[in-house]
Short mmCIF file of all heavy atoms in Angstrom, two decimals:
data_model
loop_
_atom_site.label_atom_id
_atom_site.label_comp_id
_atom_site.label_asym_id
_atom_site.label_seq_id
_atom_site.Cartn_x
_atom_site.Cartn_y
_atom_site.Cartn_z
N THR A 1 -22.09 -13.22 -9.23
CA THR A 1 -20.72 -13.70 -9.39
C THR A 1 -19.89 -12.71 -10.20
O THR A 1 -18.74 -12.40 -9.85
CB THR A 1 -20.70 -15.07 -10.07
OG1 THR A 1 -21.45 -16.00 -9.27
CG2 THR A 1 -19.28 -15.58 -10.26
N SER A 2 -20.48 -12.18 -11.26
CA SER A 2 -19.77 -11.20 -12.08
C SER A 2 -19.45 -9.94 -11.28
O SER A 2 -18.34 -9.40 -11.33
CB SER A 2 -20.61 -10.83 -13.31
OG SER A 2 -20.86 -11.97 -14.11
N GLU A 3 -20.44 -9.48 -10.52
CA GLU A 3 -20.23 -8.26 -9.74
C GLU A 3 -19.13 -8.46 -8.69
O GLU A 3 -18.27 -7.58 -8.49
CB GLU A 3 -21.54 -7.85 -9.07
CG GLU A 3 -22.60 -7.35 -10.04
CD GLU A 3 -23.91 -7.06 -9.34
OE1 GLU A 3 -24.05 -7.50 -8.17
OE2 GLU A 3 -24.76 -6.39 -9.93
N VAL A 4 -19.18 -9.61 -8.03
CA VAL A 4 -18.18 -9.89 -7.00
C VAL A 4 -16.79 -9.97 -7.60
O VAL A 4 -15.81 -9.44 -7.05
CB VAL A 4 -18.53 -11.21 -6.25
CG1 VAL A 4 -17.34 -11.66 -5.39
CG2 VAL A 4 -19.76 -11.00 -5.38
N GLU A 5 -16.68 -10.60 -8.75
CA GLU A 5 -15.37 -10.72 -9.40
C GLU A 5 -14.83 -9.36 -9.81
O GLU A 5 -13.63 -9.09 -9.71
CB GLU A 5 -15.47 -11.64 -10.63
CG GLU A 5 -15.67 -13.10 -10.30
CD GLU A 5 -14.55 -13.64 -9.45
OE1 GLU A 5 -13.37 -13.31 -9.72
OE2 GLU A 5 -14.84 -14.37 -8.47
N VAL A 6 -15.73 -8.49 -10.28
CA VAL A 6 -15.31 -7.13 -10.65
C VAL A 6 -14.79 -6.40 -9.41
O VAL A 6 -13.72 -5.76 -9.43
CB VAL A 6 -16.47 -6.35 -11.30
CG1 VAL A 6 -16.11 -4.87 -11.44
CG2 VAL A 6 -16.81 -6.93 -12.65
N ILE A 7 -15.55 -6.50 -8.31
CA ILE A 7 -15.13 -5.85 -7.06
C ILE A 7 -13.77 -6.38 -6.62
O ILE A 7 -12.87 -5.62 -6.21
CB ILE A 7 -16.18 -6.07 -5.96
CG1 ILE A 7 -17.43 -5.25 -6.24
CG2 ILE A 7 -15.61 -5.71 -4.59
CD1 ILE A 7 -17.25 -3.77 -6.06
N LYS A 8 -13.57 -7.68 -6.68
CA LYS A 8 -12.31 -8.29 -6.25
C LYS A 8 -11.15 -7.80 -7.10
O LYS A 8 -10.04 -7.55 -6.59
CB LYS A 8 -12.41 -9.81 -6.29
CG LYS A 8 -13.32 -10.38 -5.20
CD LYS A 8 -13.56 -11.87 -5.35
CE LYS A 8 -12.32 -12.66 -5.01
NZ LYS A 8 -12.59 -14.12 -5.04
N LEU A 9 -11.37 -7.69 -8.41
CA LEU A 9 -10.30 -7.18 -9.28
C LEU A 9 -9.93 -5.75 -8.91
O LEU A 9 -8.75 -5.38 -8.85
CB LEU A 9 -10.74 -7.25 -10.74
CG LEU A 9 -10.60 -8.60 -11.45
CD1 LEU A 9 -11.18 -8.51 -12.86
CD2 LEU A 9 -9.14 -9.01 -11.52
N LEU A 10 -10.95 -4.93 -8.65
CA LEU A 10 -10.69 -3.54 -8.30
C LEU A 10 -9.97 -3.44 -6.95
O LEU A 10 -9.05 -2.64 -6.79
CB LEU A 10 -12.01 -2.77 -8.26
CG LEU A 10 -12.75 -2.63 -9.60
CD1 LEU A 10 -14.09 -1.94 -9.40
CD2 LEU A 10 -11.91 -1.87 -10.61
N ILE A 11 -10.43 -4.25 -5.98
CA ILE A 11 -9.78 -4.23 -4.66
C ILE A 11 -8.33 -4.67 -4.77
O ILE A 11 -7.42 -4.03 -4.20
CB ILE A 11 -10.55 -5.16 -3.68
CG1 ILE A 11 -11.92 -4.56 -3.36
CG2 ILE A 11 -9.74 -5.37 -2.40
CD1 ILE A 11 -12.81 -5.50 -2.57
N THR A 12 -8.08 -5.75 -5.49
CA THR A 12 -6.72 -6.25 -5.65
C THR A 12 -5.82 -5.20 -6.30
O THR A 12 -4.69 -4.95 -5.86
CB THR A 12 -6.71 -7.53 -6.50
OG1 THR A 12 -7.50 -8.52 -5.85
CG2 THR A 12 -5.29 -8.05 -6.69
N SER A 13 -6.34 -4.55 -7.36
CA SER A 13 -5.56 -3.55 -8.07
C SER A 13 -5.20 -2.39 -7.15
O SER A 13 -4.03 -1.99 -7.05
CB SER A 13 -6.35 -3.03 -9.27
OG SER A 13 -5.66 -1.96 -9.89
N TYR A 14 -6.20 -1.86 -6.42
CA TYR A 14 -5.92 -0.69 -5.59
C TYR A 14 -5.09 -1.05 -4.36
O TYR A 14 -4.19 -0.30 -3.95
CB TYR A 14 -7.23 -0.02 -5.16
CG TYR A 14 -6.99 1.37 -4.61
CD1 TYR A 14 -6.83 2.46 -5.47
CD2 TYR A 14 -6.88 1.59 -3.24
CE1 TYR A 14 -6.57 3.73 -4.98
CE2 TYR A 14 -6.63 2.86 -2.75
CZ TYR A 14 -6.47 3.93 -3.62
OH TYR A 14 -6.21 5.17 -3.14
N PHE A 15 -5.40 -2.23 -3.76
CA PHE A 15 -4.66 -2.64 -2.56
C PHE A 15 -3.18 -2.86 -2.88
O PHE A 15 -2.31 -2.57 -2.06
CB PHE A 15 -5.28 -3.91 -1.98
CG PHE A 15 -4.87 -4.18 -0.56
CD1 PHE A 15 -4.94 -3.19 0.42
CD2 PHE A 15 -4.40 -5.42 -0.18
CE1 PHE A 15 -4.57 -3.43 1.73
CE2 PHE A 15 -4.02 -5.67 1.13
CZ PHE A 15 -4.11 -4.68 2.08
N ASN A 16 -2.87 -3.35 -4.06
CA ASN A 16 -1.46 -3.51 -4.46
C ASN A 16 -0.77 -2.16 -4.59
O ASN A 16 0.43 -2.03 -4.27
CB ASN A 16 -1.38 -4.27 -5.79
CG ASN A 16 -1.65 -5.75 -5.62
OD1 ASN A 16 -1.54 -6.29 -4.52
ND2 ASN A 16 -2.02 -6.42 -6.70
N ILE A 17 -1.51 -1.14 -5.05
CA ILE A 17 -0.94 0.20 -5.12
C ILE A 17 -0.60 0.70 -3.72
O ILE A 17 0.49 1.24 -3.47
CB ILE A 17 -1.93 1.18 -5.81
CG1 ILE A 17 -2.11 0.79 -7.28
CG2 ILE A 17 -1.43 2.62 -5.69
CD1 ILE A 17 -3.21 1.57 -7.98
N VAL A 18 -1.54 0.47 -2.78
CA VAL A 18 -1.32 0.91 -1.40
C VAL A 18 -0.14 0.15 -0.78
O VAL A 18 0.70 0.73 -0.07
CB VAL A 18 -2.59 0.71 -0.56
CG1 VAL A 18 -2.32 1.05 0.91
CG2 VAL A 18 -3.72 1.57 -1.10
N LYS A 19 -0.06 -1.14 -1.04
CA LYS A 19 1.05 -1.94 -0.52
C LYS A 19 2.39 -1.39 -0.98
O LYS A 19 3.33 -1.24 -0.18
CB LYS A 19 0.92 -3.40 -0.98
CG LYS A 19 -0.10 -4.22 -0.23
CD LYS A 19 -0.08 -5.66 -0.76
CE LYS A 19 -1.07 -6.54 -0.04
NZ LYS A 19 -1.02 -7.93 -0.57
N ARG A 20 2.49 -1.11 -2.27
CA ARG A 20 3.74 -0.57 -2.80
C ARG A 20 4.07 0.77 -2.14
O ARG A 20 5.24 1.06 -1.84
CB ARG A 20 3.66 -0.42 -4.32
CG ARG A 20 3.64 -1.74 -5.08
CD ARG A 20 3.91 -1.53 -6.56
NE ARG A 20 2.88 -0.75 -7.20
CZ ARG A 20 1.76 -1.25 -7.76
NH1 ARG A 20 1.56 -2.57 -7.71
NH2 ARG A 20 0.88 -0.48 -8.34
N THR A 21 3.04 1.58 -1.93
CA THR A 21 3.26 2.88 -1.29
C THR A 21 3.76 2.70 0.14
O THR A 21 4.71 3.38 0.57
CB THR A 21 1.95 3.69 -1.29
OG1 THR A 21 1.49 3.85 -2.63
CG2 THR A 21 2.18 5.07 -0.66
N MET A 22 3.15 1.78 0.89
CA MET A 22 3.56 1.55 2.28
C MET A 22 4.97 0.96 2.35
O MET A 22 5.77 1.35 3.21
CB MET A 22 2.57 0.60 2.97
CG MET A 22 1.21 1.20 3.23
SD MET A 22 1.25 2.60 4.39
CE MET A 22 1.16 3.97 3.26
N ILE A 23 5.28 0.02 1.47
CA ILE A 23 6.62 -0.58 1.46
C ILE A 23 7.68 0.49 1.20
O ILE A 23 8.81 0.40 1.69
CB ILE A 23 6.69 -1.70 0.41
CG1 ILE A 23 5.86 -2.91 0.87
CG2 ILE A 23 8.13 -2.13 0.14
CD1 ILE A 23 5.71 -3.99 -0.17
N ASP A 24 7.30 1.54 0.48
CA ASP A 24 8.23 2.62 0.19
C ASP A 24 8.25 3.68 1.29
O ASP A 24 9.32 4.15 1.69
CB ASP A 24 7.84 3.28 -1.14
CG ASP A 24 8.78 4.42 -1.51
OD1 ASP A 24 10.01 4.19 -1.53
OD2 ASP A 24 8.29 5.53 -1.76
N MET A 25 7.06 4.03 1.80
CA MET A 25 6.97 5.19 2.69
C MET A 25 7.24 4.87 4.16
O MET A 25 7.83 5.69 4.88
CB MET A 25 5.57 5.83 2.55
CG MET A 25 5.33 6.47 1.21
SD MET A 25 6.56 7.75 0.82
CE MET A 25 6.25 8.92 2.12
N VAL A 26 6.80 3.70 4.64
CA VAL A 26 6.99 3.39 6.06
C VAL A 26 8.47 3.35 6.44
O VAL A 26 8.87 3.94 7.44
CB VAL A 26 6.26 2.08 6.43
CG1 VAL A 26 6.69 1.59 7.81
CG2 VAL A 26 4.75 2.30 6.40
N PRO A 27 9.34 2.66 5.66
CA PRO A 27 10.77 2.73 5.99
C PRO A 27 11.32 4.15 5.99
O PRO A 27 12.17 4.50 6.81
CB PRO A 27 11.42 1.86 4.90
CG PRO A 27 10.37 0.90 4.51
CD PRO A 27 9.09 1.68 4.59
N LYS A 28 10.82 4.98 5.06
CA LYS A 28 11.28 6.36 5.02
C LYS A 28 10.86 7.11 6.29
O LYS A 28 11.63 7.90 6.86
CB LYS A 28 10.71 7.07 3.79
CG LYS A 28 11.30 6.59 2.47
CD LYS A 28 10.69 7.31 1.28
CE LYS A 28 11.33 6.84 -0.02
NZ LYS A 28 10.75 7.49 -1.20
N ALA A 29 9.63 6.84 6.73
CA ALA A 29 9.15 7.49 7.95
C ALA A 29 9.97 7.06 9.16
O ALA A 29 10.36 7.88 10.01
CB ALA A 29 7.68 7.16 8.16
N ILE A 30 10.27 5.76 9.25
CA ILE A 30 11.04 5.25 10.38
C ILE A 30 12.46 5.80 10.34
O ILE A 30 13.03 6.18 11.38
CB ILE A 30 11.05 3.71 10.37
CG1 ILE A 30 9.63 3.17 10.57
CG2 ILE A 30 11.98 3.16 11.44
CD1 ILE A 30 9.51 1.67 10.42
N MET A 31 13.04 5.85 9.16
CA MET A 31 14.39 6.41 9.04
C MET A 31 14.40 7.88 9.46
O MET A 31 15.31 8.33 10.17
CB MET A 31 14.89 6.28 7.60
CG MET A 31 15.33 4.89 7.20
SD MET A 31 16.76 4.29 8.14
CE MET A 31 18.00 5.49 7.66
N TYR A 32 13.38 8.62 9.05
CA TYR A 32 13.36 10.07 9.30
C TYR A 32 13.20 10.38 10.79
O TYR A 32 13.94 11.21 11.34
CB TYR A 32 12.22 10.70 8.50
CG TYR A 32 12.02 12.17 8.76
CD1 TYR A 32 12.99 13.10 8.41
CD2 TYR A 32 10.85 12.63 9.38
CE1 TYR A 32 12.82 14.46 8.66
CE2 TYR A 32 10.67 13.98 9.64
CZ TYR A 32 11.66 14.89 9.29
OH TYR A 32 11.48 16.23 9.54
N THR A 33 12.24 9.75 11.44
CA THR A 33 11.91 10.13 12.82
C THR A 33 12.62 9.29 13.88
O THR A 33 12.64 9.68 15.05
CB THR A 33 10.39 10.02 13.06
OG1 THR A 33 9.97 8.67 12.74
CG2 THR A 33 9.64 11.00 12.19
N LEU A 34 13.22 8.14 13.50
CA LEU A 34 13.85 7.29 14.50
C LEU A 34 15.34 7.11 14.22
O LEU A 34 16.19 7.56 15.00
CB LEU A 34 13.15 5.93 14.55
CG LEU A 34 13.70 4.92 15.58
CD1 LEU A 34 13.64 5.49 16.98
CD2 LEU A 34 12.93 3.60 15.49
N VAL A 35 15.68 6.49 13.11
CA VAL A 35 17.08 6.15 12.85
C VAL A 35 17.93 7.40 12.59
O VAL A 35 18.92 7.65 13.28
CB VAL A 35 17.19 5.16 11.67
CG1 VAL A 35 18.65 4.81 11.40
CG2 VAL A 35 16.39 3.90 11.96
N GLN A 36 17.52 8.18 11.60
CA GLN A 36 18.31 9.36 11.24
C GLN A 36 18.29 10.40 12.36
O GLN A 36 19.31 11.04 12.64
CB GLN A 36 17.76 9.99 9.95
CG GLN A 36 18.61 11.13 9.40
CD GLN A 36 19.98 10.67 8.96
OE1 GLN A 36 20.12 9.59 8.38
NE2 GLN A 36 21.02 11.47 9.21
N PHE A 37 17.16 10.52 13.02
CA PHE A 37 17.06 11.51 14.09
C PHE A 37 18.00 11.16 15.25
O PHE A 37 18.69 12.02 15.78
CB PHE A 37 15.61 11.61 14.59
CG PHE A 37 15.40 12.69 15.61
CD1 PHE A 37 15.29 14.01 15.23
CD2 PHE A 37 15.32 12.37 16.97
CE1 PHE A 37 15.11 15.02 16.18
CE2 PHE A 37 15.14 13.36 17.92
CZ PHE A 37 15.02 14.69 17.52
#
């Protein structure tokens, strides 16, 4: 149980970082190659 909880905390922490990155970068990519282009 302890090991699983540690893994879950680490996954949540890193996945939130990735989410923030995607929320920032995907719109930029779409703007660059589709809208702005």
Side-chain angles (χ1 to χ4, degrees):
T1 300
S2 299
E3 290 175 346
V4 168
E5 289 301 318
V6 169
I7 288 290
K8 289 173 72 175
L9 278 176
L10 295 176
I11 291 172
T12 301
S13 174
Y14 194 82
F15 197 49
N16 285 340
I17 294 172
V18 175
K19 283 182 179 180
R20 291 194 296 271
T21 302
M22 290 296 101
I23 289 172
D24 180 53
M25 292 302 297
V26 168
K28 290 179 178 179
I30 296 174
M31 284 296 298
Y32 175 66
T33 56
L34 181 58
V35 180
Q36 187 65 39
F37 185 78

